[in-house]
Amino acid sequence: MSIANLLLFSAPVVAQPSAGGGVATSQLLSLLFSLITVLAIILILAWLLRRFNIGAGGGRGAMKVVATLALGRNERVVLVSLGDKQLLLGVTGQQINLLHTFDEPISLDTADSAQAMPLLFQEKLRGFLNKTEKS
């Protein structure tokens, strides 16, 4: 039952007075239960869409954010995997700059959880920056 159908069918229920001159309590409870059910379904569907990233291509695209490193309040360095290449991007509030392209992917896999990821990324970034300063 769609929301439009629910509204069409519930309007006559509210408009019809009972024998006592008012709307019956059972009719109001039925209407209230229907509205709560519809709202619950909408919230559950929104949660599922957000949880499984269905609205944005399903998360199965060739582009993924591998790691990010905040440099300031609005500045960060982002490592993006695009197919078999990785791009190091500088991101600010106004623009995005390509800093470097890695032909062979940088492996950031560690046995530790996500807490070690920023530290490892930071080490790799420092090593890259030291190489570019020397050359």
Side-chain angles (χ1 to χ4, degrees), residues 8-28 31:
L8 288 174
F9 290 126
S10 63
V13 171
V14 174
Q16 292 176 352
S18 64
V23 178
T25 306
S26 64
Q27 291 173 338
L28 284 177
L31 177 64

Side-chain angles (χ1 to χ4, degrees), residues 78 80 88-99:
V78 180
V80 177
L88 188 64
L89 304 173
V91 180
T92 66
Q94 291 80 27
Q95 62 187 9
I96 300 172
N97 293 322
L98 176 65
L99 301 177

